[in-house]
Amino acid sequence: MRNAIATAARSIYIRARLAEERLRTGVAWWPLAPEFVADPYPVYRRLRDRDPVHYSILTEQFVVSRFSDVDRILRDHRNFSSDLQRARSSRGSLGTRKKLKPSMLVQDPPDHTRLRRLVNRAFTPRSVAKMEDYIRATAHKLLDEVAGTDEFDLMKALAVPLPTIAIARMIGVPERDLDRFKVWSDHLARALEPLLTPDEVEAVYRSEQELAEYHRAIIEQRRREPREDLVSRLVRAEEEGDKLTPDETIVMLRLLLAAGNETTTNLIGNGVRALLRSPDQFAFLREQPELIPAAVEELLRYDSPVQLDMRIARRDLQIGDTAVRSGTMVTLAIGSANHDPERFNRPHELDIRRSDQGNIAFGRGIHHCLGAPLARLEGRIALEVLLERFDRIGFGARAPKYRPSVVLRGLEHFDVRVG
């Protein structure tokens, strides 16, 4: 009874605050609403039109929704910090994330500059390109497991395991450990979401510790017996007498694990769903497979795997005509920016032959996603293999369902019928 009363009171409070926002600005922002999780783009449109720098009472953040503002802030690390410790608030999962050992994702120069420079030496385009044959063979092997069936869950069969296997291969994780590897990745990715249950918080901390101990053992082994894998390259990474400490290497591997899984899984799932909803575009792709790299860019824009990013104002400043106090969290609506009609012609239409490219699905500036080339490669191969193996792909009997997450937008299940 007590829990029921608390839930009802919370619901009343949320509705009251959202009504206050609508009265003040004509739009309300509550990313945990089921309708927003299912389709955030109508809310993004209202934000851009009515209040493009919108203060959210419930989250105590400013939500920035126009392409020009989001693009500028992502590039401006001098005025907008990625360091969570600068945030005045510790509400929601922010308090949890502050307690994790910081990765370069939440660091500013000069620390970020040093870490990024060292990792760039280990995570080269050549290393990624060498993965192509392995990723293609893995995609075929995964789809071999559903051969003979005319309907299967694309997420379970391909979109989830392919990136996990690929990043595990790069890092040097044995196949026997893949299941644990994926569990750790899922738990750590949840830390990006705005609200976590107590059980989820416990799972985040437990996974951080377990993964650290796992990687610590591998790092020591690679110091003694280097191999051709990412751990060995990180251990060797050195520039101007500087190198990664063991703890920095562990945190870097944690970041690459979570980022290397979720974004590509979402790209594949969201992308195929978008193509099935636009059969003319899918037909173009079958007729002109050379368009697949351009299609990957358009799919990244159309239903971005990463919807939101965060920055903290370093000082009192202005975003447009809006005053923002130092230490205030600023939410950058990447999904909204990629649908801004001031930047993209007919943004709500999928167009794989689009001439006005330049999405910001992988960010901008010093924090541009390190794994973007790998995600693009996996997305391209997934489309190529699906088109090669199946003459027909359509929706299955069960409707696709998005996971209850708002920072990382991806499908929980997605049944497809093939022939």
Side-chain angles (χ1 to χ4, degrees), residues 55 82 157-159 303:
Y55 185 73
S82 297
L158 181 67
D303 199 8

Side-chain angles (χ1 to χ4, degrees), residues 14-35:
I14 290 172
R15 289 199 300 269
R17 297 288 76 76
L18 294 177
E20 181 181 345
E21 279 188 34
R22 289 191 190 92
L23 184 64
R24 178 171 51 87
T25 65
V27 61
W29 163 261
W30 183 232
L32 298 181
E35 58 271 21

Side-chain angles (χ1 to χ4, degrees), residues 13-199:
Y13 174 79
I14 290 172
R15 289 199 300 269
R17 297 288 76 76
L18 294 177
E20 181 181 345
E21 279 188 34
R22 289 191 190 92
L23 184 64
R24 178 171 51 87
T25 65
V27 61
W29 163 261
W30 183 232
L32 298 181
E35 58 271 21
F36 182 89
V37 172
D39 183 6
Y41 298 102
V43 176
Y44 289 151
R45 183 168 57 249
R46 290 194 293 273
L47 285 169
R48 289 193 306 270
D49 291 346
R50 300 176 187 180
D51 197 24
V53 184
H54 175 81
Y55 185 73
S56 166
I57 298 173
L58 287 170
T59 63
E60 298 181 347
Q61 300 172 10
F62 280 97
V63 184
V64 180
S65 53
R66 288 183 177 169
F67 184 96
S68 58
D69 290 328
V70 173
D71 181 68
R72 178 177 62 82
I73 293 170
L74 285 171
R75 297 176 188 271
D76 186 4
H77 63 272
R78 292 178 176 82
N79 288 312
F80 295 93
S81 171
S82 297
D83 184 355
L84 299 179
Q85 301 303 324
R86 291 179 176 270
R88 287 187 286 111
S89 173
S90 290
R91 296 184 64 177
S93 68
L94 188 58
T96 302
R97 294 175 65 189
K98 282 184 175 184
K99 294 177 183 177
L100 296 176
K101 291 183 178 179
S103 71
M104 68 176 184
L105 189 67
V106 292
Q107 292 188 10
D108 298 324
D111 293 330
H112 174 272
T113 306
R114 170 181 164 271
L115 292 172
R116 180 84 181 213
R117 184 179 64 238
L118 289 170
V119 176
N120 279 342
R121 288 292 186 92
F123 210 85
T124 63
R126 181 172 174 269
S127 299
V128 172
K130 287 170 62 177
M131 290 287 293
E132 178 160 358
D133 290 344
Y134 177 78
I135 294 170
R136 190 178 303 278
T138 300
H140 278 292
K141 182 179 178 181
L142 289 169
L143 291 176
D144 283 343
E145 297 179 9
V146 294
T149 61
D150 60 3
E151 187 166 324
F152 59 87
D153 182 352
L154 182 70
M155 306 307 294
K156 183 178 180 181
L158 181 67
V160 170
L162 181 64
T164 303
I165 294 170
I167 195 66
R169 169 84 170 205
M170 288 194 76
I171 290 175
V173 172
E175 285 191 20
R176 65 177 181 271
D177 294 332
L178 281 178
D179 288 343
R180 283 197 297 163
F181 205 61
K182 178 57 179 170
V183 170
W184 289 329
S185 173
D186 289 345
H187 288 165
L188 291 166
R190 283 297 297 169
L192 297 173
E193 298 302 322
L195 287 180
L196 302 178
T197 66
D199 287 345

Side-chain angles (χ1 to χ4, degrees), residues 401-419:
K401 179 183 178 182
Y402 278 92
R403 296 196 308 270
S405 56
V406 296
V407 174
L408 301 173
R409 176 168 168 79
L411 291 157
E412 186 173 295
H413 60 72
F414 177 17
D415 292 354
V416 294
R417 182 172 289 274
V418 299

